Amino acid sequence: MNEDGKLVFTAKYHLQRGYCCSNGCLHCPYDYENVPEPKKTQLLNEREKKQRQPPGT
């Protein structure tokens, strides 16, 4: 559960499911392949920004 009370699945769970569900999941290992634009690009940009931040920020 995240701070908003939503259930968050791991990348491992998504891989076991076998496809992108198009909901824009936080740990999507499929790079949001089924999410429509412009949301897909927004999610990928947010993920990249988070990966560039130093840990603990």
Side-chain angles (χ1 to χ4, degrees):
M1 301 291 278
N2 69 7
E3 54 275 349
D4 296 328
K6 295 181 180 178
L7 186 61
V8 179
F9 295 109
T10 64
K12 181 179 178 180
Y13 172 85
H14 292 290
L15 287 169
Q16 288 174 336
R17 182 174 47 202
Y19 62 93
C20 173
C21 65
S22 75
N23 287 321
C25 300
L26 179 63
H27 299 110
C28 181
Y30 301 105
D31 290 331
Y32 309 110
E33 65 186 23
N34 293 327
V35 177
E37 290 293 352
K39 184 71 175 173
K40 177 180 179 176
T41 299
Q42 177 187 357
L43 290 166
L44 289 169
N45 288 339
E46 289 171 6
R47 177 186 283 173
E48 184 179 326
K49 183 179 176 182
K50 285 181 185 179
Q51 289 175 345
R52 282 190 260 139
Q53 289 179 346
T57 59

